[in-house]
Amino acid sequence: AQSVTQPDIHITVSEGASLELRCNYSYGATPYLFWYVQSPGQGLQLLLKYFSGDTLVQGIKGFEAEFKRSQSSFNLRKPSVHWSDAAEYFCAVGASNDYKLSFGAGTTVTVRA
Amino acid sequence: DSGVTQTPKHLITATGQRVTLRCSPRSGDLSVYWYQQSLDQGLQFLIQYYNGEERAKGNILERFSAQQFPDLHSELNLSSLELGDSALYFCASSVDTRGYTFGSGTRLTVV
């Protein structure tokens, strides 16, 4: 069964600074990988996804993520954060033959002025 | 607007009661998923329906049940409610395995 670990529960970053959120997955085959963002009181919005091909994927809101098979990782990055990026971020893993996604516990990002 | 509609947005009810949460999937999506989000458990997969049939079951209590109707909308029924059932309940839909679209959730408070 697939599983996801997000090692950082909470990250604080200054506005304009870079951000990297870590995600490690466990899955036997080639996974489908996703990053979602949840603003307070809102649903989850898909930021980006990886299925195959180029291991660096671009998403919405200036985010990108890199799939590293050797490290079983799919870390999310943003070069310069904005105050509006304060939210909770979830990494998820799925598979081509399984509709169910497994989510990590989430990382809360606080942006300070 | 994600295209996935959940009603109601908020629900306050007493212990022992029964409630029904409703979800209309995005147009064209045949799969509907229900998730429970609480502070201590995180996002927990409850159940999936595909074109009216139950496809997968997760950590869903026996007091909870769901169904998907011919028009593809889904309902999650929660009965004999306990204080610990207070949570955000999300519905998501998909057309294939390439990711979900989430609704904005129903916040259930059991008092």
Side-chain angles (χ1 to χ4, degrees), chain A residues 1-2 5 10 12 14 18-20 22 24-25 31 40 51 53 57 60 63 65 69-70 78-79 81 90 105:
Chain A
Q2 58 258 45
T5 301
H10 190 197
T12 298
S14 297
S18 64
L19 174 69
E20 181 167 14
R22 296 183 291 164
N24 293 99
Y25 68 89
F51 303 128
V57 294
I60 62 171
F63 284 93
R69 184 188 302 275
S70 62
K78 184 168 185 177
V81 299
F90 293 91

Side-chain angles (χ1 to χ4, degrees), chain A residues 32 34 36 38 41-46 49 51 88 90 94-105, chain B residues 31 33 35 37 42-43 45 48 50 55-56 88 90 94-105 107:
Chain A
Y32 286 178
F34 308 84
Y36 285 85
Q38 183 181 25
Q42 302 295 315
L44 283 76
Q45 181 184 22
L46 180 66
K49 54 192 175 184
F51 303 128
E88 189 160 19
F90 293 91
S96 61
N97 61 348
D98 187 356
Y99 281 74
K100 186 172 74 71
L101 295 185
S102 295
F103 286 83
Chain B
S31 275
Y33 312 80
Y35 280 79
Q37 186 180 37
L43 265 169
F45 170 70
Q48 177 208 354
Y50 178 84
R55 175 66 70 92
L88 260 173
F90 285 108
S94 73
V95 65
D96 55 25
T97 58
R98 298 187 169 210
Y100 300 164
T101 301
F102 278 87
S104 57
R107 182 173 293 282

Side-chain angles (χ1 to χ4, degrees), chain A residues 35-55:
Chain A
W35 275 100
Y36 285 85
V37 61
Q38 183 181 25
S39 297
Q42 302 295 315
L44 283 76
Q45 181 184 22
L46 180 66
L47 283 176
L48 48 76
K49 54 192 175 184
Y50 171 80
F51 303 128
S52 64
D54 192 348
T55 56

Side-chain angles (χ1 to χ4, degrees), chain B residues 30-57:
Chain B
L30 298 180
S31 275
V32 170
Y33 312 80
W34 287 97
Y35 280 79
Q36 179 194 57
Q37 186 180 37
S38 60
L39 283 175
D40 54 343
Q41 297 283 338
L43 265 169
Q44 296 286 315
F45 170 70
L46 296 178
I47 198 163
Q48 177 208 354
Y49 277 82
Y50 178 84
N51 203 21
E53 294 190 4
E54 183 183 305
R55 175 66 70 92
K57 216 169 201 179

